[in-house]
Amino acid sequence: MPQLQALIFDVDGTLAETERDGHRIAFNRAFAAAGLDWDWSIEQYGELLEVAGGKERIRFYLDRHVPNFNPPNHWQQDLTAHIADLHRAKTAHYRQLLSEGIISLRPGVKRLLRQARQAGVRLAIATTSAPDNVLALLSTALAPDAASWFEVIAAGDIVPAKKPAPDVYCYVLEAMVLKPDNCLVIEDSYQGLQAALQAGLSTVVTVNNYTQHQDFTGATLVLNHLGEPDDPFRSIAGNCGAATHFDLALAEQLLSQVSTMG
Ligand code: XBP
Ligand code: MG
């Protein structure tokens, strides 16, 4: 029977609802500051989330929505460099938003992380988001020293191929010398689930407004959130018995379910 040795967390949409009121606003502020009239609505941003990674998302938007984009004069030479500049500015805006305390953790996240630390279950992060963003979210929403709770923080361009490619999860497994059978991933999106599944990892999905209608075939469990003893989760797919909130006992139970099925 495989033993639970590690929990691997996605960040955006999983630890916290960062996209609509965090990343989206930061992109729009960076566009305005650069003199661009692009403004990503809540609805349009949902479509753009199809592409993971901020730089990749800007390029996708340009290709799909502004095919005849006429770069300002000072942009002429190198579009990639200007996208990277825009993205750096966006990261600064995002950090500013986080420092205003507008984003809090999703239900159950802090409780589960604390329980894992107490039980000696190893922790890691696998995200498409820029490392600075992750560190800022951890220190503002979780605890000033929260980055040290995670043995590996695999973020942003650490692997060239972003989710849904499995690379970021493979990177974590290799860095921690872990087998997929001993880990459980917490994700919120189709792209994230595909990445984890392709790395051979069992995955629990906690959906949010942007991802609730996505296809989560292959997930071990799909929930509306991790839940708290006084704020039970709603189970959308999978077998969680009589559990009302996600904890290590349920995580162990899921891993053994997977091993008997496989
Ligand atoms: C979510 C993403 C990220 C953020 C933006 O990543 O797709 O691109 O929207 O972050 P995950 P950056 O769910 O894997 O955490 O602008 O820093 O790329
Ligand atoms: Mg996510």
Side-chain angles (χ1 to χ4, degrees):
M1 204 67 80
Q3 238 206 340
L4 178 71
Q5 291 179 13
L7 292 174
I8 312 174
F9 286 82
D10 168 54
V11 173
D12 295 300
T14 299
L15 292 185
E17 302 260 17
T18 50
E19 296 290 7
R20 193 189 76 175
D21 301 328
H23 289 293
R24 185 183 69 88
I25 304 291
F27 280 112
N28 286 338
R29 288 187 181 173
F31 300 152
L36 298 163
D37 65 355
W38 311 341
D39 187 60
W40 292 352
S41 67
I42 291 175
E43 195 191 343
Q44 181 173 38
Y45 193 69
E47 176 214 320
L48 296 171
L49 281 173
E50 221 180 275
V51 176
K55 295 189 286 293
E56 293 79 359
R57 192 167 300 142
I58 295 170
R59 188 174 284 275
F60 172 79
Y61 172 77
L62 267 171
D63 291 345
R64 182 176 281 194
H65 295 280
V66 208
N68 301 319
F69 178 56
N70 222 342
N73 280 342
H74 64 283
W75 268 47
Q76 296 297 348
Q77 329 87 1
D78 184 357
L79 189 58
T80 304
H82 285 290
I83 288 176
D85 278 352
L86 257 184
H87 187 249
R88 254 189 298 280
K90 176 259 165 181
T91 299
H93 286 292
Y94 180 71
R95 295 191 63 156
Q96 173 60 35
L97 284 165
L98 287 181
S99 74
E100 291 163 15
I102 57 151
I103 308 271
S104 47
L105 297 175
R106 296 191 67 190
V109 168
K110 198 174 207 166
R111 173 187 51 75
L112 179 61
L113 288 171
R114 283 198 172 132
Q115 192 192 15
R117 267 161 65 77
Q118 272 167 14
V121 170
R122 299 161 72 189
L123 295 172
I125 276 177
T127 175
T128 313
S129 215
D132 281 357
N133 293 345
V134 181
L135 298 178
L137 178 71
L138 293 177
S139 63
T140 53
L142 190 53
D145 69 337
S148 69
W149 299 10
F150 298 87
E151 207 173 307
V152 172
I153 297 180
D157 299 328
I158 197 153
V159 290
K162 295 192 172 164
K163 299 174 188 176
D167 302 34
V168 71
Y169 282 107
C170 296
Y171 177 96
V172 169
L173 291 174
E174 215 176 294
M176 294 171 78
V177 197
L178 279 166
K179 291 201 191 95
D181 289 1
N182 299 109
C183 308
L184 203 62
V185 168
I186 320 286
E187 268 285 357
D188 73 303
S189 70
Y190 172 80
Q191 287 89 343
L193 173 64
Q194 296 313 310
L197 290 180
Q198 286 184 72
L201 288 154
S202 301
T203 306
V204 174
V205 174
T206 52
V207 302
N208 57 51
N209 278 346
Y210 274 133
T211 66
Q212 59 187 332
H213 300 301
Q214 294 179 344
D215 176 8
F216 292 118
T217 306
T220 304
L221 188 63
V222 184
L223 304 169
N224 63 333
H225 54 62
L226 291 175
E228 296 284 13
D230 60 354
D231 179 15
F233 60 51
R234 185 167 49 82
S235 170
I236 298 165
N239 180 8
C240 57
T244 56
H245 58 282
F246 189 92
D247 59 8
L248 293 183
L250 178 53
E252 296 272 8
Q253 195 182 308
L254 293 174
L255 274 195
S256 61
Q257 258 176 44
V258 172
S259 81
T260 47
M261 274 163 29

PDB file of all heavy atoms in Angstrom, residues 217-229:
ATOM      1  N   THR A 217     -12.086  14.545 -15.889  1.00  0.00           N
ATOM      2  CA  THR A 217     -11.934  13.096 -16.012  1.00  0.00           C
ATOM      3  C   THR A 217     -10.497  12.726 -15.639  1.00  0.00           C
ATOM      4  O   THR A 217      -9.560  13.360 -16.119  1.00  0.00           O
ATOM      5  CB  THR A 217     -12.194  12.660 -17.481  1.00  0.00           C
ATOM      6  OG1 THR A 217     -13.457  13.167 -17.871  1.00  0.00           O
ATOM      7  CG2 THR A 217     -12.148  11.150 -17.636  1.00  0.00           C
ATOM      8  N   GLY A 218     -10.373  11.717 -14.801  1.00  0.00           N
ATOM      9  CA  GLY A 218      -9.023  11.282 -14.408  1.00  0.00           C
ATOM     10  C   GLY A 218      -8.639  11.782 -13.026  1.00  0.00           C
ATOM     11  O   GLY A 218      -7.717  11.249 -12.408  1.00  0.00           O
ATOM     12  N   ALA A 219      -9.382  12.782 -12.518  1.00  0.00           N
ATOM     13  CA  ALA A 219      -9.083  13.271 -11.159  1.00  0.00           C
ATOM     14  C   ALA A 219      -9.540  12.218 -10.153  1.00  0.00           C
ATOM     15  O   ALA A 219     -10.556  11.544 -10.359  1.00  0.00           O
ATOM     16  CB  ALA A 219      -9.801  14.584 -10.898  1.00  0.00           C
ATOM     17  N   THR A 220      -8.816  12.083  -9.066  1.00  0.00           N
ATOM     18  CA  THR A 220      -9.195  11.125  -8.025  1.00  0.00           C
ATOM     19  C   THR A 220     -10.417  11.624  -7.270  1.00  0.00           C
ATOM     20  O   THR A 220     -11.283  10.858  -6.861  1.00  0.00           O
ATOM     21  CB  THR A 220      -8.000  10.927  -7.062  1.00  0.00           C
ATOM     22  OG1 THR A 220      -6.890  10.511  -7.852  1.00  0.00           O
ATOM     23  CG2 THR A 220      -8.286   9.889  -6.009  1.00  0.00           C
ATOM     24  N   LEU A 221     -10.470  12.934  -7.082  1.00  0.00           N
ATOM     25  CA  LEU A 221     -11.586  13.544  -6.358  1.00  0.00           C
ATOM     26  C   LEU A 221     -11.749  14.968  -6.878  1.00  0.00           C
ATOM     27  O   LEU A 221     -10.746  15.639  -7.162  1.00  0.00           O
ATOM     28  CB  LEU A 221     -11.233  13.553  -4.854  1.00  0.00           C
ATOM     29  CG  LEU A 221     -12.292  13.959  -3.843  1.00  0.00           C
ATOM     30  CD1 LEU A 221     -13.461  12.980  -3.872  1.00  0.00           C
ATOM     31  CD2 LEU A 221     -11.688  13.949  -2.418  1.00  0.00           C
ATOM     32  N   VAL A 222     -13.003  15.404  -7.022  1.00  0.00           N
ATOM     33  CA  VAL A 222     -13.270  16.794  -7.416  1.00  0.00           C
ATOM     34  C   VAL A 222     -14.178  17.407  -6.350  1.00  0.00           C
ATOM     35  O   VAL A 222     -15.247  16.865  -6.044  1.00  0.00           O
ATOM     36  CB  VAL A 222     -13.945  16.884  -8.806  1.00  0.00           C
ATOM     37  CG1 VAL A 222     -14.128  18.338  -9.222  1.00  0.00           C
ATOM     38  CG2 VAL A 222     -13.134  16.127  -9.866  1.00  0.00           C
ATOM     39  N   LEU A 223     -13.719  18.529  -5.793  1.00  0.00           N
ATOM     40  CA  LEU A 223     -14.437  19.186  -4.692  1.00  0.00           C
ATOM     41  C   LEU A 223     -14.651  20.659  -5.031  1.00  0.00           C
ATOM     42  O   LEU A 223     -13.942  21.210  -5.877  1.00  0.00           O
ATOM     43  CB  LEU A 223     -13.592  19.123  -3.408  1.00  0.00           C
ATOM     44  CG  LEU A 223     -13.136  17.747  -2.931  1.00  0.00           C
ATOM     45  CD1 LEU A 223     -12.100  17.887  -1.814  1.00  0.00           C
ATOM     46  CD2 LEU A 223     -14.333  16.930  -2.449  1.00  0.00           C
ATOM     47  N   ASN A 224     -15.592  21.305  -4.305  1.00  0.00           N
ATOM     48  CA  ASN A 224     -15.725  22.758  -4.528  1.00  0.00           C
ATOM     49  C   ASN A 224     -14.609  23.513  -3.796  1.00  0.00           C
ATOM     50  O   ASN A 224     -14.186  24.572  -4.227  1.00  0.00           O
ATOM     51  CB  ASN A 224     -17.110  23.264  -4.129  1.00  0.00           C
ATOM     52  CG  ASN A 224     -17.411  23.098  -2.653  1.00  0.00           C
ATOM     53  OD1 ASN A 224     -16.865  22.204  -1.999  1.00  0.00           O
ATOM     54  ND2 ASN A 224     -18.259  23.942  -2.116  1.00  0.00           N
ATOM     55  N   HIS A 225     -14.131  22.957  -2.690  1.00  0.00           N
ATOM     56  CA  HIS A 225     -12.943  23.471  -1.994  1.00  0.00           C
ATOM     57  C   HIS A 225     -12.511  22.430  -0.975  1.00  0.00           C
ATOM     58  O   HIS A 225     -13.187  21.399  -0.823  1.00  0.00           O
ATOM     59  CB  HIS A 225     -13.174  24.854  -1.355  1.00  0.00           C
ATOM     60  CG  HIS A 225     -14.363  24.929  -0.428  1.00  0.00           C
ATOM     61  ND1 HIS A 225     -14.476  24.189   0.708  1.00  0.00           N
ATOM     62  CD2 HIS A 225     -15.498  25.675  -0.494  1.00  0.00           C
ATOM     63  CE1 HIS A 225     -15.617  24.469   1.328  1.00  0.00           C
ATOM     64  NE2 HIS A 225     -16.269  25.358   0.598  1.00  0.00           N
ATOM     65  N   LEU A 226     -11.418  22.663  -0.274  1.00  0.00           N
ATOM     66  CA  LEU A 226     -10.910  21.630   0.642  1.00  0.00           C
ATOM     67  C   LEU A 226     -11.768  21.491   1.904  1.00  0.00           C
ATOM     68  O   LEU A 226     -11.712  20.460   2.576  1.00  0.00           O
ATOM     69  CB  LEU A 226      -9.459  21.946   1.041  1.00  0.00           C
ATOM     70  CG  LEU A 226      -8.408  21.819  -0.068  1.00  0.00           C
ATOM     71  CD1 LEU A 226      -7.043  22.278   0.438  1.00  0.00           C
ATOM     72  CD2 LEU A 226      -8.310  20.381  -0.592  1.00  0.00           C
ATOM     73  N   GLY A 227     -12.503  22.543   2.204  1.00  0.00           N
ATOM     74  CA  GLY A 227     -13.408  22.482   3.353  1.00  0.00           C
ATOM     75  C   GLY A 227     -12.727  22.683   4.696  1.00  0.00           C
ATOM     76  O   GLY A 227     -11.504  22.573   4.827  1.00  0.00           O
ATOM     77  N   GLU A 228     -13.563  23.005   5.656  1.00  0.00           N
ATOM     78  CA  GLU A 228     -13.149  23.156   7.053  1.00  0.00           C
ATOM     79  C   GLU A 228     -14.159  22.370   7.886  1.00  0.00           C
ATOM     80  O   GLU A 228     -15.276  22.133   7.420  1.00  0.00           O
ATOM     81  CB  GLU A 228     -13.216  24.633   7.482  1.00  0.00           C
ATOM     82  CG  GLU A 228     -12.274  25.566   6.760  1.00  0.00           C
ATOM     83  CD  GLU A 228     -10.832  25.457   7.237  1.00  0.00           C
ATOM     84  OE1 GLU A 228     -10.508  24.480   7.964  1.00  0.00           O
ATOM     85  OE2 GLU A 228     -10.041  26.325   6.865  1.00  0.00           O
ATOM     86  N   PRO A 229     -13.802  21.997   9.129  1.00  0.00           N
ATOM     87  CA  PRO A 229     -14.789  21.286   9.946  1.00  0.00           C
ATOM     88  C   PRO A 229     -16.126  22.045  10.023  1.00  0.00           C
ATOM     89  O   PRO A 229     -17.191  21.425  10.026  1.00  0.00           O
ATOM     90  CB  PRO A 229     -14.107  21.210  11.319  1.00  0.00           C
ATOM     91  CG  PRO A 229     -12.649  21.235  10.996  1.00  0.00           C
ATOM     92  CD  PRO A 229     -12.493  22.105   9.778  1.00  0.00           C
TER      93      PRO A 229
END
